[in-house]
Amino acid sequence: MVGSRGYYRAGSFPAELDRIGRVAQHFDKPVILRDAGCQSRTGSPDKSNR
């Protein structure tokens, strides 16, 4: 199983899903999204939590 959790830049979630999907396909494993979102701080929609 490929697990993912993260806080992503606003508008980047579709690209993140594509990236996670490619990893899951490579390993032939299902995906579990534990949590995802955007931090509620000033300027956080423009910055990822990486």
Side-chain angles (χ1 to χ4, degrees):
M1 181 173 300
V2 174
S4 178
R5 64 181 296 269
Y7 294 88
Y8 306 109
R9 289 185 300 275
S12 71
F13 195 59
E16 296 294 343
L17 287 178
D18 289 342
R19 181 182 61 82
I20 295 164
R22 287 191 302 272
V23 172
Q25 283 183 327
H26 176 79
F27 291 103
D28 193 28
K29 300 288 182 182
V31 174
I32 181 171
L33 297 175
R34 292 187 32 188
D35 60 273
C38 186
Q39 296 178 16
S40 59
R41 289 191 248 166
T42 301
S44 63
D46 300 319
K47 300 175 187 170
S48 64
N49 189 27
R50 291 187 181 181

mmCIF file of all heavy atoms in Angstrom:
data_model
loop_
_atom_site.group_PDB
_atom_site.id
_atom_site.type_symbol
_atom_site.label_atom_id
_atom_site.label_comp_id
_atom_site.label_asym_id
_atom_site.label_seq_id
_atom_site.Cartn_x
_atom_site.Cartn_y
_atom_site.Cartn_z
ATOM 1 N N MET A 1 0.845 -1.163 0.000
ATOM 2 C CA MET A 1 0.000 0.000 0.000
ATOM 3 C C MET A 1 0.897 1.235 0.000
ATOM 4 O O MET A 1 1.894 1.283 0.705
ATOM 5 C CB MET A 1 -0.891 -0.019 1.242
ATOM 6 C CG MET A 1 -1.819 1.135 1.302
ATOM 7 S SD MET A 1 -3.026 1.029 2.642
ATOM 8 C CE MET A 1 -3.865 -0.468 2.223
ATOM 9 N N VAL A 2 0.517 2.217 -0.786
ATOM 10 C CA VAL A 2 1.214 3.497 -0.813
ATOM 11 C C VAL A 2 0.384 4.477 0.002
ATOM 12 O O VAL A 2 -0.769 4.730 -0.314
ATOM 13 C CB VAL A 2 1.385 4.023 -2.263
ATOM 14 C CG1 VAL A 2 1.986 5.420 -2.261
ATOM 15 C CG2 VAL A 2 2.226 3.070 -3.081
ATOM 16 N N GLY A 3 0.960 4.992 1.082
ATOM 17 C CA GLY A 3 0.265 5.941 1.938
ATOM 18 C C GLY A 3 0.772 7.345 1.690
ATOM 19 O O GLY A 3 1.942 7.551 1.403
ATOM 20 N N SER A 4 -0.127 8.306 1.786
ATOM 21 C CA SER A 4 0.264 9.696 1.582
ATOM 22 C C SER A 4 -0.512 10.582 2.537
ATOM 23 O O SER A 4 -1.683 10.350 2.818
ATOM 24 C CB SER A 4 -0.027 10.112 0.137
ATOM 25 O OG SER A 4 0.311 11.461 -0.044
ATOM 26 N N ARG A 5 0.186 11.581 3.028
ATOM 27 C CA ARG A 5 -0.458 12.641 3.788
ATOM 28 C C ARG A 5 0.333 13.901 3.536
ATOM 29 O O ARG A 5 1.542 13.850 3.330
ATOM 30 C CB ARG A 5 -0.526 12.318 5.271
ATOM 31 C CG ARG A 5 0.825 12.199 5.954
ATOM 32 C CD ARG A 5 0.706 11.849 7.427
ATOM 33 N NE ARG A 5 0.049 12.883 8.196
ATOM 34 C CZ ARG A 5 0.673 13.894 8.798
ATOM 35 N NH1 ARG A 5 1.972 14.013 8.703
ATOM 36 N NH2 ARG A 5 -0.010 14.798 9.476
ATOM 37 N N GLY A 6 -0.321 15.020 3.473
ATOM 38 C CA GLY A 6 0.425 16.233 3.227
ATOM 39 C C GLY A 6 -0.437 17.458 3.130
ATOM 40 O O GLY A 6 -1.652 17.383 3.021
ATOM 41 N N TYR A 7 0.220 18.566 3.194
ATOM 42 C CA TYR A 7 -0.402 19.866 3.006
ATOM 43 C C TYR A 7 0.224 20.454 1.754
ATOM 44 O O TYR A 7 1.429 20.680 1.711
ATOM 45 C CB TYR A 7 -0.175 20.757 4.228
ATOM 46 C CG TYR A 7 -0.886 20.229 5.443
ATOM 47 C CD1 TYR A 7 -0.279 19.317 6.290
ATOM 48 C CD2 TYR A 7 -2.193 20.618 5.706
ATOM 49 C CE1 TYR A 7 -0.950 18.817 7.391
ATOM 50 C CE2 TYR A 7 -2.876 20.124 6.796
ATOM 51 C CZ TYR A 7 -2.246 19.231 7.645
ATOM 52 O OH TYR A 7 -2.907 18.730 8.721
ATOM 53 N N TYR A 8 -0.579 20.664 0.750
ATOM 54 C CA TYR A 8 -0.086 21.041 -0.571
ATOM 55 C C TYR A 8 -0.453 22.475 -0.902
ATOM 56 O O TYR A 8 -1.410 23.028 -0.366
ATOM 57 C CB TYR A 8 -0.654 20.092 -1.622
ATOM 58 C CG TYR A 8 -0.392 18.649 -1.300
ATOM 59 C CD1 TYR A 8 -1.421 17.803 -0.911
ATOM 60 C CD2 TYR A 8 0.896 18.144 -1.359
ATOM 61 C CE1 TYR A 8 -1.167 16.473 -0.605
ATOM 62 C CE2 TYR A 8 1.160 16.817 -1.053
ATOM 63 C CZ TYR A 8 0.115 15.987 -0.674
ATOM 64 O OH TYR A 8 0.378 14.683 -0.368
ATOM 65 N N ARG A 9 0.306 23.073 -1.832
ATOM 66 C CA ARG A 9 -0.002 24.426 -2.281
ATOM 67 C C ARG A 9 -1.404 24.468 -2.892
ATOM 68 O O ARG A 9 -1.849 23.500 -3.507
ATOM 69 C CB ARG A 9 1.009 24.879 -3.335
ATOM 70 C CG ARG A 9 2.383 25.152 -2.778
ATOM 71 C CD ARG A 9 3.302 25.700 -3.852
ATOM 72 N NE ARG A 9 3.476 24.789 -4.974
ATOM 73 C CZ ARG A 9 4.365 23.805 -5.019
ATOM 74 N NH1 ARG A 9 5.171 23.590 -4.017
ATOM 75 N NH2 ARG A 9 4.449 23.034 -6.071
ATOM 76 N N ALA A 10 -2.063 25.584 -2.742
ATOM 77 C CA ALA A 10 -3.395 25.755 -3.319
ATOM 78 C C ALA A 10 -3.341 25.486 -4.813
ATOM 79 O O ALA A 10 -2.454 25.968 -5.515
ATOM 80 C CB ALA A 10 -3.902 27.176 -3.055
ATOM 81 N N GLY A 11 -4.255 24.674 -5.295
ATOM 82 C CA GLY A 11 -4.353 24.373 -6.718
ATOM 83 C C GLY A 11 -3.423 23.271 -7.198
ATOM 84 O O GLY A 11 -3.480 22.885 -8.355
ATOM 85 N N SER A 12 -2.580 22.728 -6.313
ATOM 86 C CA SER A 12 -1.615 21.714 -6.748
ATOM 87 C C SER A 12 -2.088 20.283 -6.491
ATOM 88 O O SER A 12 -1.400 19.340 -6.879
ATOM 89 C CB SER A 12 -0.266 21.931 -6.051
ATOM 90 O OG SER A 12 -0.355 21.598 -4.677
ATOM 91 N N PHE A 13 -3.240 20.104 -5.862
ATOM 92 C CA PHE A 13 -3.663 18.759 -5.478
ATOM 93 C C PHE A 13 -3.825 17.807 -6.678
ATOM 94 O O PHE A 13 -3.401 16.649 -6.586
ATOM 95 C CB PHE A 13 -4.938 18.815 -4.642
ATOM 96 C CG PHE A 13 -5.220 17.534 -3.914
ATOM 97 C CD1 PHE A 13 -4.320 17.020 -3.008
ATOM 98 C CD2 PHE A 13 -6.383 16.828 -4.155
ATOM 99 C CE1 PHE A 13 -4.563 15.822 -2.341
ATOM 100 C CE2 PHE A 13 -6.635 15.633 -3.503
ATOM 101 C CZ PHE A 13 -5.733 15.141 -2.588
ATOM 102 N N PRO A 14 -4.395 18.236 -7.808
ATOM 103 C CA PRO A 14 -4.477 17.308 -8.944
ATOM 104 C C PRO A 14 -3.101 16.797 -9.395
ATOM 105 O O PRO A 14 -2.929 15.612 -9.686
ATOM 106 C CB PRO A 14 -5.152 18.131 -10.044
ATOM 107 C CG PRO A 14 -5.980 19.125 -9.297
ATOM 108 C CD PRO A 14 -5.132 19.482 -8.100
ATOM 109 N N ALA A 15 -2.111 17.678 -9.419
ATOM 110 C CA ALA A 15 -0.754 17.250 -9.810
ATOM 111 C C ALA A 15 -0.163 16.303 -8.770
ATOM 112 O O ALA A 15 0.538 15.340 -9.116
ATOM 113 C CB ALA A 15 0.148 18.465 -9.991
ATOM 114 N N GLU A 16 -0.442 16.555 -7.504
ATOM 115 C CA GLU A 16 0.049 15.668 -6.443
ATOM 116 C C GLU A 16 -0.587 14.282 -6.575
ATOM 117 O O GLU A 16 0.087 13.260 -6.399
ATOM 118 C CB GLU A 16 -0.225 16.254 -5.064
ATOM 119 C CG GLU A 16 0.499 17.552 -4.780
ATOM 120 C CD GLU A 16 2.014 17.408 -4.708
ATOM 121 O OE1 GLU A 16 2.527 16.280 -4.567
ATOM 122 O OE2 GLU A 16 2.689 18.442 -4.780
ATOM 123 N N LEU A 17 -1.876 14.240 -6.892
ATOM 124 C CA LEU A 17 -2.543 12.950 -7.086
ATOM 125 C C LEU A 17 -1.926 12.190 -8.252
ATOM 126 O O LEU A 17 -1.733 10.968 -8.166
ATOM 127 C CB LEU A 17 -4.043 13.144 -7.319
ATOM 128 C CG LEU A 17 -4.869 13.529 -6.112
ATOM 129 C CD1 LEU A 17 -6.328 13.740 -6.518
ATOM 130 C CD2 LEU A 17 -4.771 12.490 -5.011
ATOM 131 N N ASP A 18 -1.601 12.894 -9.321
ATOM 132 C CA ASP A 18 -0.935 12.256 -10.460
ATOM 133 C C ASP A 18 0.408 11.665 -10.036
ATOM 134 O O ASP A 18 0.755 10.540 -10.386
ATOM 135 C CB ASP A 18 -0.717 13.248 -11.604
ATOM 136 C CG ASP A 18 -2.002 13.626 -12.308
ATOM 137 O OD1 ASP A 18 -3.006 12.900 -12.158
ATOM 138 O OD2 ASP A 18 -1.994 14.656 -13.012
ATOM 139 N N ARG A 19 1.173 12.444 -9.265
ATOM 140 C CA ARG A 19 2.491 11.990 -8.800
ATOM 141 C C ARG A 19 2.361 10.756 -7.913
ATOM 142 O O ARG A 19 3.063 9.751 -8.103
ATOM 143 C CB ARG A 19 3.176 13.129 -8.029
ATOM 144 C CG ARG A 19 4.562 12.807 -7.512
ATOM 145 C CD ARG A 19 5.135 13.986 -6.723
ATOM 146 N NE ARG A 19 4.339 14.336 -5.571
ATOM 147 C CZ ARG A 19 4.406 13.715 -4.396
ATOM 148 N NH1 ARG A 19 5.219 12.695 -4.223
ATOM 149 N NH2 ARG A 19 3.661 14.119 -3.388
ATOM 150 N N ILE A 20 1.440 10.800 -6.976
ATOM 151 C CA ILE A 20 1.221 9.670 -6.072
ATOM 152 C C ILE A 20 0.735 8.456 -6.863
ATOM 153 O O ILE A 20 1.148 7.322 -6.621
ATOM 154 C CB ILE A 20 0.212 10.058 -4.966
ATOM 155 C CG1 ILE A 20 0.820 11.153 -4.077
ATOM 156 C CG2 ILE A 20 -0.194 8.847 -4.142
ATOM 157 C CD1 ILE A 20 -0.202 11.878 -3.222
ATOM 158 N N GLY A 21 -0.137 8.695 -7.842
ATOM 159 C CA GLY A 21 -0.650 7.613 -8.677
ATOM 160 C C GLY A 21 0.435 6.908 -9.467
ATOM 161 O O GLY A 21 0.417 5.687 -9.620
ATOM 162 N N ARG A 22 1.396 7.679 -9.979
ATOM 163 C CA ARG A 22 2.510 7.064 -10.719
ATOM 164 C C ARG A 22 3.339 6.144 -9.819
ATOM 165 O O ARG A 22 3.747 5.057 -10.237
ATOM 166 C CB ARG A 22 3.401 8.141 -11.342
ATOM 167 C CG ARG A 22 2.760 8.821 -12.539
ATOM 168 C CD ARG A 22 3.751 9.677 -13.307
ATOM 169 N NE ARG A 22 4.381 10.710 -12.498
ATOM 170 C CZ ARG A 22 3.890 11.935 -12.298
ATOM 171 N NH1 ARG A 22 2.736 12.277 -12.856
ATOM 172 N NH2 ARG A 22 4.541 12.807 -11.569
ATOM 173 N N VAL A 23 3.559 6.560 -8.591
ATOM 174 C CA VAL A 23 4.304 5.711 -7.643
ATOM 175 C C VAL A 23 3.514 4.434 -7.365
ATOM 176 O O VAL A 23 4.059 3.328 -7.385
ATOM 177 C CB VAL A 23 4.596 6.470 -6.331
ATOM 178 C CG1 VAL A 23 5.191 5.547 -5.285
ATOM 179 C CG2 VAL A 23 5.522 7.654 -6.586
ATOM 180 N N ALA A 24 2.219 4.567 -7.130
ATOM 181 C CA ALA A 24 1.386 3.403 -6.853
ATOM 182 C C ALA A 24 1.371 2.441 -8.032
ATOM 183 O O ALA A 24 1.463 1.220 -7.847
ATOM 184 C CB ALA A 24 -0.035 3.845 -6.511
ATOM 185 N N GLN A 25 1.288 2.972 -9.244
ATOM 186 C CA GLN A 25 1.310 2.109 -10.430
ATOM 187 C C GLN A 25 2.652 1.411 -10.573
ATOM 188 O O GLN A 25 2.705 0.227 -10.916
ATOM 189 C CB GLN A 25 1.031 2.927 -11.691
ATOM 190 C CG GLN A 25 -0.426 3.263 -11.868
ATOM 191 C CD GLN A 25 -0.681 4.015 -13.162
ATOM 192 O OE1 GLN A 25 0.154 4.790 -13.627
ATOM 193 N NE2 GLN A 25 -1.846 3.785 -13.742
ATOM 194 N N HIS A 26 3.731 2.125 -10.311
ATOM 195 C CA HIS A 26 5.064 1.539 -10.423
ATOM 196 C C HIS A 26 5.212 0.312 -9.515
ATOM 197 O O HIS A 26 5.792 -0.693 -9.909
ATOM 198 C CB HIS A 26 6.129 2.580 -10.077
ATOM 199 C CG HIS A 26 7.520 2.041 -10.071
ATOM 200 N ND1 HIS A 26 8.229 1.827 -11.233
ATOM 201 C CD2 HIS A 26 8.315 1.651 -9.052
ATOM 202 C CE1 HIS A 26 9.414 1.324 -10.917
ATOM 203 N NE2 HIS A 26 9.488 1.219 -9.595
ATOM 204 N N PHE A 27 4.670 0.411 -8.313
ATOM 205 C CA PHE A 27 4.780 -0.682 -7.346
ATOM 206 C C PHE A 27 3.558 -1.600 -7.351
ATOM 207 O O PHE A 27 3.495 -2.549 -6.572
ATOM 208 C CB PHE A 27 5.025 -0.131 -5.944
ATOM 209 C CG PHE A 27 6.385 0.496 -5.796
ATOM 210 C CD1 PHE A 27 6.532 1.872 -5.796
ATOM 211 C CD2 PHE A 27 7.513 -0.292 -5.683
ATOM 212 C CE1 PHE A 27 7.783 2.455 -5.670
ATOM 213 C CE2 PHE A 27 8.769 0.278 -5.555
ATOM 214 C CZ PHE A 27 8.909 1.654 -5.550
ATOM 215 N N ASP A 28 2.571 -1.301 -8.223
ATOM 216 C CA ASP A 28 1.338 -2.085 -8.316
ATOM 217 C C ASP A 28 0.667 -2.222 -6.951
ATOM 218 O O ASP A 28 0.342 -3.320 -6.500
ATOM 219 C CB ASP A 28 1.621 -3.455 -8.932
ATOM 220 C CG ASP A 28 0.346 -4.173 -9.348
ATOM 221 O OD1 ASP A 28 -0.647 -3.482 -9.671
ATOM 222 O OD2 ASP A 28 0.336 -5.419 -9.334
ATOM 223 N N LYS A 29 0.491 -1.066 -6.283
ATOM 224 C CA LYS A 29 -0.090 -1.031 -4.936
ATOM 225 C C LYS A 29 -1.248 -0.041 -4.907
ATOM 226 O O LYS A 29 -1.263 0.942 -5.641
ATOM 227 C CB LYS A 29 0.948 -0.586 -3.900
ATOM 228 C CG LYS A 29 2.164 -1.474 -3.797
ATOM 229 C CD LYS A 29 1.817 -2.776 -3.142
ATOM 230 C CE LYS A 29 3.056 -3.645 -2.997
ATOM 231 N NZ LYS A 29 2.745 -4.920 -2.426
ATOM 232 N N PRO A 30 -2.228 -0.273 -4.035
ATOM 233 C CA PRO A 30 -3.308 0.706 -3.857
ATOM 234 C C PRO A 30 -2.799 1.920 -3.072
ATOM 235 O O PRO A 30 -1.760 1.863 -2.417
ATOM 236 C CB PRO A 30 -4.364 -0.056 -3.056
ATOM 237 C CG PRO A 30 -3.585 -1.098 -2.322
ATOM 238 C CD PRO A 30 -2.423 -1.460 -3.206
ATOM 239 N N VAL A 31 -3.560 2.995 -3.134
ATOM 240 C CA VAL A 31 -3.208 4.248 -2.452
ATOM 241 C C VAL A 31 -4.175 4.496 -1.308
ATOM 242 O O VAL A 31 -5.378 4.278 -1.440
ATOM 243 C CB VAL A 31 -3.278 5.439 -3.435
ATOM 244 C CG1 VAL A 31 -3.062 6.760 -2.707
ATOM 245 C CG2 VAL A 31 -2.276 5.270 -4.547
ATOM 246 N N ILE A 32 -3.640 4.972 -0.191
ATOM 247 C CA ILE A 32 -4.481 5.451 0.895
ATOM 248 C C ILE A 32 -4.065 6.893 1.184
ATOM 249 O O ILE A 32 -2.881 7.186 1.351
ATOM 250 C CB ILE A 32 -4.376 4.579 2.164
ATOM 251 C CG1 ILE A 32 -5.298 5.113 3.243
ATOM 252 C CG2 ILE A 32 -2.953 4.461 2.649
ATOM 253 C CD1 ILE A 32 -5.437 4.213 4.449
ATOM 254 N N LEU A 33 -5.026 7.808 1.151
ATOM 255 C CA LEU A 33 -4.766 9.208 1.491
ATOM 256 C C LEU A 33 -5.176 9.396 2.946
ATOM 257 O O LEU A 33 -6.359 9.349 3.273
ATOM 258 C CB LEU A 33 -5.564 10.150 0.587
ATOM 259 C CG LEU A 33 -5.222 10.093 -0.891
ATOM 260 C CD1 LEU A 33 -6.159 10.981 -1.691
ATOM 261 C CD2 LEU A 33 -3.782 10.479 -1.133
ATOM 262 N N ARG A 34 -4.201 9.583 3.796
ATOM 263 C CA ARG A 34 -4.481 9.718 5.229
ATOM 264 C C ARG A 34 -5.090 11.060 5.556
ATOM 265 O O ARG A 34 -6.025 11.156 6.334
ATOM 266 C CB ARG A 34 -3.214 9.488 6.021
ATOM 267 C CG ARG A 34 -2.760 8.047 5.926
ATOM 268 C CD ARG A 34 -1.613 7.754 6.815
ATOM 269 N NE ARG A 34 -1.682 8.581 8.013
ATOM 270 C CZ ARG A 34 -0.726 8.655 8.901
ATOM 271 N NH1 ARG A 34 0.363 7.969 8.756
ATOM 272 N NH2 ARG A 34 -0.845 9.432 9.950
ATOM 273 N N ASP A 35 -4.517 12.110 5.044
ATOM 274 C CA ASP A 35 -5.096 13.440 5.178
ATOM 275 C C ASP A 35 -4.398 14.351 4.185
ATOM 276 O O ASP A 35 -3.279 14.086 3.769
ATOM 277 C CB ASP A 35 -4.980 13.999 6.609
ATOM 278 C CG ASP A 35 -3.550 14.138 7.092
ATOM 279 O OD1 ASP A 35 -3.033 13.151 7.634
ATOM 280 O OD2 ASP A 35 -2.954 15.210 6.924
ATOM 281 N N ALA A 36 -5.097 15.376 3.795
ATOM 282 C CA ALA A 36 -4.540 16.348 2.862
ATOM 283 C C ALA A 36 -5.239 17.669 3.099
ATOM 284 O O ALA A 36 -6.382 17.705 3.539
ATOM 285 C CB ALA A 36 -4.744 15.901 1.414
ATOM 286 N N GLY A 37 -4.546 18.726 2.836
ATOM 287 C CA GLY A 37 -5.164 20.026 3.021
ATOM 288 C C GLY A 37 -4.182 21.142 2.793
ATOM 289 O O GLY A 37 -3.136 20.961 2.193
ATOM 290 N N CYS A 38 -4.539 22.303 3.291
ATOM 291 C CA CYS A 38 -3.701 23.488 3.196
ATOM 292 C C CYS A 38 -3.691 24.112 4.585
ATOM 293 O O CYS A 38 -4.741 24.274 5.202
ATOM 294 C CB CYS A 38 -4.288 24.437 2.159
ATOM 295 S SG CYS A 38 -3.254 25.852 1.827
ATOM 296 N N GLN A 39 -2.528 24.434 5.082
ATOM 297 C CA GLN A 39 -2.422 24.997 6.423
ATOM 298 C C GLN A 39 -3.168 26.321 6.514
ATOM 299 O O GLN A 39 -3.201 27.085 5.562
ATOM 300 C CB GLN A 39 -0.962 25.214 6.782
ATOM 301 C CG GLN A 39 -0.178 23.935 6.851
ATOM 302 C CD GLN A 39 1.279 24.197 7.159
ATOM 303 O OE1 GLN A 39 1.658 25.271 7.596
ATOM 304 N NE2 GLN A 39 2.105 23.199 6.930
ATOM 305 N N SER A 40 -3.757 26.583 7.665
ATOM 306 C CA SER A 40 -4.521 27.822 7.850
ATOM 307 C C SER A 40 -3.635 28.887 8.493
ATOM 308 O O SER A 40 -3.824 29.282 9.637
ATOM 309 C CB SER A 40 -5.761 27.562 8.699
ATOM 310 O OG SER A 40 -5.376 27.036 9.956
ATOM 311 N N ARG A 41 -2.639 29.318 7.736
ATOM 312 C CA ARG A 41 -1.749 30.398 8.169
ATOM 313 C C ARG A 41 -1.630 31.417 7.045
ATOM 314 O O ARG A 41 -1.823 31.081 5.889
ATOM 315 C CB ARG A 41 -0.345 29.867 8.455
ATOM 316 C CG ARG A 41 -0.253 29.038 9.688
ATOM 317 C CD ARG A 41 1.202 28.809 10.006
ATOM 318 N NE ARG A 41 1.460 27.402 9.790
ATOM 319 C CZ ARG A 41 2.653 26.865 9.706
ATOM 320 N NH1 ARG A 41 3.719 27.610 9.769
ATOM 321 N NH2 ARG A 41 2.806 25.587 9.542
ATOM 322 N N THR A 42 -1.272 32.617 7.369
ATOM 323 C CA THR A 42 -1.090 33.657 6.361
ATOM 324 C C THR A 42 -0.046 33.194 5.335
ATOM 325 O O THR A 42 1.048 32.792 5.707
ATOM 326 C CB THR A 42 -0.637 34.961 7.007
ATOM 327 O OG1 THR A 42 -1.614 35.360 7.958
ATOM 328 C CG2 THR A 42 -0.442 36.046 5.966
ATOM 329 N N GLY A 43 -0.424 33.201 4.069
ATOM 330 C CA GLY A 43 0.495 32.827 2.986
ATOM 331 C C GLY A 43 0.607 31.348 2.728
ATOM 332 O O GLY A 43 1.257 30.942 1.785
ATOM 333 N N SER A 44 -0.032 30.522 3.533
ATOM 334 C CA SER A 44 0.120 29.076 3.361
ATOM 335 C C SER A 44 -0.432 28.532 2.046
ATOM 336 O O SER A 44 0.078 27.535 1.545
ATOM 337 C CB SER A 44 -0.475 28.307 4.538
ATOM 338 O OG SER A 44 -1.854 28.519 4.633
ATOM 339 N N PRO A 45 -1.453 29.137 1.418
ATOM 340 C CA PRO A 45 -1.901 28.591 0.138
ATOM 341 C C PRO A 45 -0.817 28.606 -0.939
ATOM 342 O O PRO A 45 -0.894 27.877 -1.909
ATOM 343 C CB PRO A 45 -3.072 29.503 -0.250
ATOM 344 C CG PRO A 45 -3.588 30.029 1.035
ATOM 345 C CD PRO A 45 -2.355 30.194 1.894
ATOM 346 N N ASP A 46 0.194 29.430 -0.753
ATOM 347 C CA ASP A 46 1.257 29.518 -1.754
ATOM 348 C C ASP A 46 2.480 28.691 -1.410
ATOM 349 O O ASP A 46 3.428 28.640 -2.182
ATOM 350 C CB ASP A 46 1.698 30.982 -1.904
ATOM 351 C CG ASP A 46 0.540 31.866 -2.354
ATOM 352 O OD1 ASP A 46 -0.231 31.417 -3.212
ATOM 353 O OD2 ASP A 46 0.418 32.979 -1.836
ATOM 354 N N LYS A 47 2.490 28.043 -0.253
ATOM 355 C CA LYS A 47 3.666 27.284 0.187
ATOM 356 C C LYS A 47 3.249 25.882 0.586
ATOM 357 O O LYS A 47 2.261 25.685 1.274
ATOM 358 C CB LYS A 47 4.302 27.965 1.398
ATOM 359 C CG LYS A 47 4.753 29.375 1.138
ATOM 360 C CD LYS A 47 5.249 30.009 2.394
ATOM 361 C CE LYS A 47 5.551 31.476 2.164
ATOM 362 N NZ LYS A 47 5.801 32.174 3.404
ATOM 363 N N SER A 48 4.035 24.919 0.177
ATOM 364 C CA SER A 48 3.749 23.538 0.589
ATOM 365 C C SER A 48 4.414 23.260 1.938
ATOM 366 O O SER A 48 5.218 24.046 2.423
ATOM 367 C CB SER A 48 4.281 22.559 -0.450
ATOM 368 O OG SER A 48 5.688 22.650 -0.521
ATOM 369 N N ASN A 49 4.082 22.147 2.528
ATOM 370 C CA ASN A 49 4.655 21.751 3.811
ATOM 371 C C ASN A 49 5.702 20.663 3.572
ATOM 372 O O ASN A 49 5.637 19.587 4.111
ATOM 373 C CB ASN A 49 3.560 21.240 4.740
ATOM 374 C CG ASN A 49 4.068 21.023 6.141
ATOM 375 O OD1 ASN A 49 5.007 21.673 6.561
ATOM 376 N ND2 ASN A 49 3.453 20.102 6.848
ATOM 377 N N ARG A 50 6.654 20.925 2.689
ATOM 378 C CA ARG A 50 7.708 19.961 2.386
ATOM 379 C C ARG A 50 9.011 20.439 2.910
ATOM 380 O O ARG A 50 9.367 21.526 2.923
ATOM 381 C CB ARG A 50 7.825 19.754 0.880
ATOM 382 C CG ARG A 50 6.655 19.048 0.320
ATOM 383 C CD ARG A 50 6.973 18.768 -1.115
ATOM 384 N NE ARG A 50 5.847 18.100 -1.721
ATOM 385 C CZ ARG A 50 5.840 17.725 -2.947
ATOM 386 N NH1 ARG A 50 6.867 17.910 -3.720
ATOM 387 N NH2 ARG A 50 4.810 17.135 -3.461
#
